[in-house]
Amino acid sequence: MAEQKWVYSFGDGKAEGAASMRNLLGGKGANLAEMSNLGLPVPPGFTITTEVCTAFYANDRQYPAELASQVEAALAAVGQSVGASFGDAQNPLLVSVRSGARASMPGMMDTVLNLGLNDTTVEGLALRSGDKRFAYDSYRRFIQMYSDVVLGVDHHNFEEILEYYKEEHEFNLDTELTAEDWLRVIALYKERIEEELGKPFPQDVNEQLWGAIGAVFGSWRNARAETYRRLHNIPEGWGTAVNVQAMVFGNMGETSATGVAFTRNPSTGEHAIYGEFLVNAQGEDVVAGIRTPQSLTKKARLEANDRKPSMEEAMPEVFVQLTDVFDRLEKHYRDMQDVEFTVQNGKLWMLQTRSGKRTARAALKIAIDMAREGLIDEKTAVTRVDPAALDQLLHPTLDPDAERDIIATGLPASPGAASGEVVFSSDEAASARAEGRRVILVRIETSPEDIHGMHSAVAILTTRGGMTSHAAVVARGMGRPCVSGVGSIRIDYKAEQFTVMGVTVKKGDIITVDGSTGHVIRGEVPMLQPELSGDFATLMGWADTYRRMKVRTNAETPVDAMTARKFGAEGIGLCRTEHMFFDEARIVAVRQMILADDEKGRRAPLQKILPMQRDDFRQLFVIMKGLPVTIRLLDPPLHEFLPKTPEEIAQVSETTGMPADKLARRVQELHEFNPMLGHRGCRLGITYPEIYEMQARAIFEAAIEAANETGEAVIPEVMIPLVAMKGEFDLLRERIVAVAGAVEKERGTSLEYQIGTMIELPRAALMAREIAKSAEFFSFGTNDLTQTTYGISRDDAASFMNDYMAKKLISQDPFVSLDPDGVGELVSIAAERGREARPGIKLGICGEHGGDPASIAFCEGVGLNYVSCSPYRVPIARLAAAQAALAVAANAGHD
Ligand code: PEP
Ligand code: MG
């Protein structure tokens, strides 16, 4: 049997590996091989494969038998290539040893440089380089790094020795030390190592090499790496590779340098080299931050007002070579690259390349530019932008360079940032707004009564409630930044102040809320305004051509509906009518209706509400101009509309003329222990049919009026919430059809409409086959479906969800990203059973998950017709839906 290949060589314009062999060679090794194959200047070396790592652990930490001879042969070839020999006294080959997993993995042993130096070879290096100081400096760096990462002698030992030496000899900078000084420091280092370990620093270069290789493989299972793997779902079985590579020196004098660069600007996307370099330095000096690096380009230097020459000016020839390499790398990888390089005596060497991380703004620009440059096609461009990152572009954001005094952190419930005065009540927010002040509404939690306050505030902060609490959902719908569930804040409504970590913030004090990170900050922080640039629109247009699912919005106000249209919404997937009931002009009538003793008592106030509801719906139909609009009949428990405190009861008593004691009694009667599982949803329609009849009439009359106004046919979709049984649906459907018939007769016209239901209870999902016999569409209410499937209250989850995450019981808040296993299974079952009874039944989702990219991918898999989300998430959903469709198509192609 042929010997298994454990070692892959690269360098001199060729390689045994390639970029496609990432699993075997790790990211770094695969790209070093690829760059070699491209003929780029890569110092020769070899990669010990990830399979060695796996075999090492499977075999009681023993290496495969053939490894030693393969390493020896590869090392000899490297020596031949650079004209040196490992351990040779006159002309020693020095190498770097680096780890390289498939995915970059902090926590593992990273790098040892200058390996192969000992008391003898260092003299060879000094002789050949003609620079004793350089040779001894390299040796002491090696001793320090190797002892720290391989031998476990902490680097503070060496820092201490060096500091002491400098103090004693009155040196300020390392550069002041002569060759002789370094030689003495080396002796002190070696003494300390012997003290610490009871044996001397290894002089045998092979012992050094295998020590470093062993340290890399050993670090694959250290505690930090294991934690990182667990957090990022990286399987232990992947293993790491080890890269051994001939050293090149950036610290050989003024014609040597080392640097890092991006082929395009990772923050703006501009097609211009971005990066820095240091003359006469080794890799770790750039990151260590001891010396300030210089710009690569003259333009960047001028912009930074830096006097030190740029690389373009200081090393013009190497700079031209470098830009040429960048061009070739981009043409080859077809993506922006993040590279490391070294210049040794005027010669350029490439040490690493990988796809660079970037901001949302840069991602958009780079994707579009590359498509226009012909590097990628439009489809690929669409996959290059992270939909969730678009959030950064749709809301004002904190200036990243600004100082901030963070006093608390909660859930990032609705993105964007805002500064304003603290107020503790919605009425106060409204009156402050009327005076033109910017306020932040701070509440323990919010309820539908706070809608006007939330509208008036520039941001909302709550101390209770999760990502789908009332505050979070409404804030997202309105595009208001919101941080919810900030448990560390204690609100004292009476004293009109809150306290956190010993800080007291009073009404009127300025705070800043960042709904993208969950931060609560004292004082004002400068903001950057959102920019809907041309690139953004272009990419959205491309996404739309590959998208299968429609994207609708959850909206009930004309402002929200118009915002959503501007962002490309193709209809309304959920209009929550209860929010319309809180308008000041109608809440009195609503309360009268609820508090009435009988049907007759309810009908009169409903008559007052009817024209207002009709006008709400007419406006939405007009804005949506013939696009589908789903209107949900009243859903929340009635007590949400009722007065609570004695003061509120007195106020209502005055406006309605109802005696206060009777009012208090009625409020008491309506009290429920579990209102979310109580008298709400279609159960209201069953007990108070006249409410749904009024709403249905408002919908149908508005449809006729809007059609006349716009000339576009309106086909309203009437949606019944919280259905669990077909019987509930049938009973209500019959009444709605009767109302439609009556309206048709009165108006002398015919109506087209659909009546469907939400699927938001497990029973509804299971009974979907039955329900679909009557329901013309389903909309998955995954907020309630998640709540009822898990039995976790969506309003109280925040208090323990963080703990569940910390203990790794769940990796994602199921109210944010749809649980594909449990809740998702119910969605799949309902879709399948619904289609059995009614082939082609229209299926959508209107829970908060409709704006979450991972959940949208799930919806594509189930074949839903549309997703519906808050207006500000519409662009995210458009892009996520396109990517999901492309992924499904790509998978189908592979079968
Ligand atoms: C849902 O339950 O998912 C839903 C959309 O309805 P609401 O959030 O209004 O309960
Ligand atoms: Mg619901």
Side-chain angles (χ1 to χ4, degrees):
M1 227 174 70
E3 195 173 273
Q4 180 164 355
K5 190 165 172 56
W6 302 106
V7 171
Y8 286 72
S9 294
F10 57 80
D12 287 335
K14 59 184 189 312
E16 293 173 324
S20 56
M21 295 161 76
R22 191 184 185 92
N23 294 355
L24 185 68
L25 303 179
K28 195 172 287 169
N31 282 326
L32 283 169
E34 191 77 1
M35 284 202 290
S36 303
N37 283 328
L38 288 173
L40 298 180
V42 175
F46 56 88
T47 303
I48 303 173
T49 69
T50 56
E51 285 175 352
V52 174
C53 185
T54 321
F56 176 73
Y57 282 110
N59 203 12
D60 217 6
R61 299 195 179 225
Q62 300 286 315
Y63 294 121
E66 314 86 3
L67 182 67
S69 59
Q70 290 186 17
V71 165
E72 199 181 328
L75 193 61
V78 171
Q80 208 151 40
S81 164
V82 299
S85 176
F86 196 51
D88 190 278
Q90 263 80 51
N91 189 13
L93 166 67
L94 304 185
V95 295
S96 65
V97 178
R98 294 182 157 99
S99 64
R102 277 193 222 179
S104 113
M105 243 187 61
M108 282 199 321
M109 192 211 97
D110 189 31
T111 304
V112 175
L113 300 179
N114 308 333
L115 189 142
L117 280 174
N118 58 22
D119 296 351
T120 319
T121 56
V122 72
E123 299 304 333
L125 181 67
L127 218 62
R128 287 197 70 88
S129 64
D131 188 344
K132 271 191 167 172
R133 191 185 177 284
F134 155 74
Y136 295 141
D137 183 27
S138 299
Y139 190 23
R140 71 92 193 175
R141 284 171 189 256
F142 167 56
I143 294 176
Q144 194 170 336
M145 245 190 222
Y146 190 91
S147 303
D148 183 31
V149 302
V150 180
L151 303 178
V153 182
D154 200 277
H155 59 89
H156 76 76
N157 283 288
F158 306 105
E159 276 152 23
E160 199 180 281
I161 291 169
L162 185 55
E163 275 315 301
Y164 187 74
Y165 188 91
K166 275 159 70 178
E167 229 173 79
E168 201 180 38
H169 295 81
E170 291 176 6
F171 292 134
N172 279 320
L173 301 170
D174 286 7
T175 43
E176 292 166 25
L177 274 76
T178 63
E180 283 63 39
D181 288 317
W182 285 124
L183 207 52
R184 276 183 224 122
V185 170
I186 287 167
L188 295 169
Y189 279 6
K190 290 201 299 195
E191 257 171 46
R192 177 67 65 92
I193 291 162
E194 202 157 349
E195 268 166 39
E196 289 287 318
L197 298 177
K199 56 179 184 191
F201 185 79
Q203 292 293 311
D204 177 343
V205 293
N206 281 305
E207 184 187 338
Q208 291 174 359
L209 178 64
W210 286 99
I213 293 171
V216 172
F217 287 137
S219 69
W220 176 251
R221 285 225 183 146
N222 74 23
R224 277 209 302 155
E226 284 195 346
T227 308
Y228 186 87
R229 272 201 296 280
R230 222 180 20 249
L231 284 176
H232 294 83
N233 285 327
I234 297 176
E236 177 144 312
W238 279 9
T240 180
V242 180
N243 297 293
V244 179
Q245 191 174 20
M247 280 299 302
V248 284
F249 295 96
N251 55 341
M252 276 189 123
E254 293 305 304
T255 56
S256 299
T258 185
V260 292
F262 289 87
T263 54
R264 302 188 187 214
N265 186 314
S267 143
T268 63
E270 190 196 351
H271 194 167
I273 295 172
Y274 179 94
E276 33 192 41
F277 82 119
L278 268 178
V279 175
N280 196 9
Q282 234 175 6
E284 76 266 22
D285 299 335
V286 182
V287 265
I290 301 163
R291 282 165 60 191
T292 310
Q294 293 151 250
S295 304
L296 289 180
T297 63
K298 183 174 172 190
K299 186 161 170 266
R301 175 179 73 78
L302 293 174
E303 276 166 14
N305 217 352
D306 189 356
R307 263 184 315 216
K308 280 207 211 140
S310 65
M311 185 174 185
E312 188 174 5
E313 294 155 300
M315 301 182 166
E317 277 162 35
V318 186
F319 180 77
V320 170
Q321 273 180 47
L322 190 66
T323 53
D324 178 54
V325 167
F326 286 178
D327 260 7
R328 290 176 62 190
L329 284 175
E330 276 210 348
K331 284 211 174 73
H332 182 72
Y333 284 100
R334 297 168 193 273
D335 197 5
M336 183 255 269
Q337 296 295 296
D338 168 359
V339 304
E340 287 175 22
F341 61 89
T342 281
V343 181
Q344 176 177 319
N345 290 333
K347 170 146 178 52
L348 174 69
W349 292 100
M350 300 306 298
L351 301 183
Q352 167 147 318
T353 190
R354 58 185 169 190
S355 280
K357 294 211 184 328
R358 63 207 77 180
T359 63
R361 184 165 153 223
L364 270 179
K365 180 160 171 54
I366 291 171
I368 301 232
D369 284 354
M370 286 197 164
R372 294 211 169 116
E373 290 159 22
L375 279 178
I376 55 176
D377 59 15
E378 287 181 9
K379 250 190 223 178
T380 310
V382 167
T383 63
R384 286 280 173 87
V385 179
D386 173 11
L390 290 181
D391 246 1
Q392 292 173 19
L393 305 174
L394 292 164
H395 298 276
T397 45
L398 296 184
D399 183 342
D401 297 330
E403 300 231 340
R404 56 195 75 177
D405 173 12
I406 298 168
I407 51 174
T409 303
L411 297 170
S414 176
S419 304
E421 290 173 40
V422 169
V423 294
F424 294 98
S425 86
S426 287
D427 289 344
E428 204 144 2
S431 54
R433 160 81 175 267
E435 290 168 17
R437 281 151 50 206
R438 293 167 59 82
V439 294
I440 293 180
L441 178 62
V442 179
R443 302 282 304 163
I444 294 174
E445 58 194 351
T446 62
S447 73
E449 281 172 76
D450 291 310
I451 300 285
H452 66 300
M454 296 173 77
H455 246 300
S456 307
V458 292
I460 295 119
L461 169 61
T462 67
T463 57
R464 281 232 292 262
M467 296 291 282
T468 57
S469 63
H470 179 267
V473 172
V474 173
R476 278 199 291 276
M478 290 176 178
R480 292 284 183 287
C482 173
V483 172
S484 67
V486 196
S488 57
I489 287 184
R490 292 275 165 274
I491 298 181
D492 185 341
Y493 282 133
K494 263 221 181 81
E496 300 194 300
Q497 64 182 38
F498 71 74
T499 48
V500 59
M501 295 193 327
V503 177
T504 302
V505 176
K506 292 191 164 31
K507 184 173 96 171
D509 288 354
I510 304 279
I511 60 167
T512 299
V513 161
D514 185 354
S516 309
T517 57
H519 290 160
V520 181
I521 299 156
R522 192 142 64 139
E524 188 159 354
V525 181
M527 308 274 168
L528 302 178
Q529 287 309 310
E531 242 174 74
L532 289 194
S533 64
D535 289 339
F536 188 88
T538 306
L539 194 87
M540 282 296 129
W542 292 354
D544 289 347
T545 58
Y546 300 108
R547 175 157 64 81
R548 183 192 60 81
M549 287 190 292
K550 297 274 183 198
V551 175
R552 299 196 195 179
T553 190
N554 294 357
E556 44 269 337
T557 67
V559 174
D560 287 351
M562 278 189 287
T563 307
R565 280 293 293 139
K566 202 177 72 194
F567 286 144
E570 298 161 298
I572 291 180
L574 174 64
C575 167
R576 293 177 163 105
T577 49
E578 55 270 20
H579 291 167
M580 299 163 161
F581 281 30
F582 281 98
D583 192 282
E584 260 177 73
R586 48 188 103 165
I587 186 71
V588 176
V590 171
R591 285 177 169 153
Q592 262 173 342
M593 185 261 300
I594 296 168
L595 294 164
D597 292 324
D598 53 17
E599 187 188 328
K600 197 164 143 275
R602 281 189 290 273
R603 288 225 181 250
L606 281 171
Q607 276 311 309
K608 279 193 232 155
I609 302 170
L610 172 68
M612 303 188 223
Q613 276 261 272
R614 184 170 56 218
D615 202 50
D616 295 330
F617 299 146
R618 185 193 56 78
Q619 289 187 52
L620 292 181
F621 290 141
V622 168
I623 293 166
M624 287 293 152
K625 277 210 185 83
L627 293 170
V629 175
T630 307
I631 295 174
R632 179 178 75 186
L633 302 180
L634 195 66
D635 181 41
L638 292 181
H639 75 85
E640 282 195 10
F641 300 99
L642 291 180
K644 290 179 186 70
T645 61
E647 296 85 54
E648 282 172 345
I649 292 182
Q651 200 187 358
V652 175
S653 163
E654 204 175 305
T655 46
T656 60
M658 217 179 189
D661 57 339
K662 192 175 163 201
L663 245 170
R665 215 171 34 246
R666 187 78 180 113
V667 169
Q668 196 57 40
E669 275 166 27
L670 286 165
H671 170 80
E672 292 179 299
F673 286 106
N674 265 326
M676 279 308 243
L677 300 175
H679 197 181
R680 61 168 286 216
C682 68
R683 299 159 200 168
L684 292 172
I686 304 273
T687 45
Y688 306 126
E690 54 285 355
I691 301 180
Y692 277 16
E693 281 172 14
M694 179 281 288
Q695 291 196 295
R697 175 171 281 274
I699 293 169
F700 294 131
E701 291 180 352
I704 294 171
E705 289 176 14
N708 288 341
E709 204 174 319
T710 60
E712 298 274 354
V714 178
I715 308 174
E717 298 171 354
V718 183
M719 182 153 78
I720 304 177
L722 218 75
V723 163
M725 323 165 207
K726 178 169 184 287
E728 291 168 328
F729 184 83
D730 285 343
L731 196 140
L732 294 167
R733 182 174 188 281
E734 204 177 301
R735 287 185 173 260
I736 295 164
V737 170
V739 172
V743 172
E744 283 176 323
K745 221 191 241 153
E746 290 158 26
R747 301 272 175 141
T749 180
S750 71
L751 276 164
E752 228 188 296
Y753 59 91
Q754 290 189 339
I755 306 176
T757 183
M758 295 190 71
I759 301 288
E760 50 185 344
L761 294 174
R763 190 176 197 281
L766 297 172
M767 299 306 291
R769 198 182 294 110
E770 288 306 302
I771 295 171
K773 287 179 187 156
S774 309
E776 288 167 285
F777 63 86
F778 286 169
S779 178
F780 290 98
T782 44
N783 301 334
D784 274 311
L785 192 59
T786 300
Q787 165 165 272
T788 49
T789 302
Y790 273 93
I792 292 178
S793 157
R794 56 198 265 197
D795 294 306
D796 303 308
S799 61
F800 52 86
M801 210 47 104
N802 284 344
D803 233 19
Y804 268 58
M805 301 252 223
K807 301 208 160 91
K808 307 274 172 316
L809 289 170
I810 51 167
S811 57
Q812 273 275 25
D813 183 342
F815 290 105
V816 174
S817 200
L818 191 79
D819 153 44
D821 307 325
V823 182
E825 177 83 5
L826 284 169
V827 171
S828 304
I829 288 172
E832 195 184 302
R833 295 185 183 171
R835 287 191 188 111
E836 269 171 41
R838 187 183 290 268
I841 183 173
K842 189 167 16 173
L843 302 173
I845 180 172
C846 63
E848 286 303 298
H849 306 92
D852 167 65
S855 313
I856 291 170
F858 178 86
C859 295
E860 175 71 29
V862 182
L864 298 194
N865 300 83
Y866 68 85
V867 298
S868 187
C869 57
S870 48
Y872 285 87
R873 287 214 192 158
V874 166
I876 296 168
R878 284 165 71 190
L879 183 57
Q883 291 183 354
L886 286 171
V888 168
N891 281 339
H894 287 306
D895 287 344

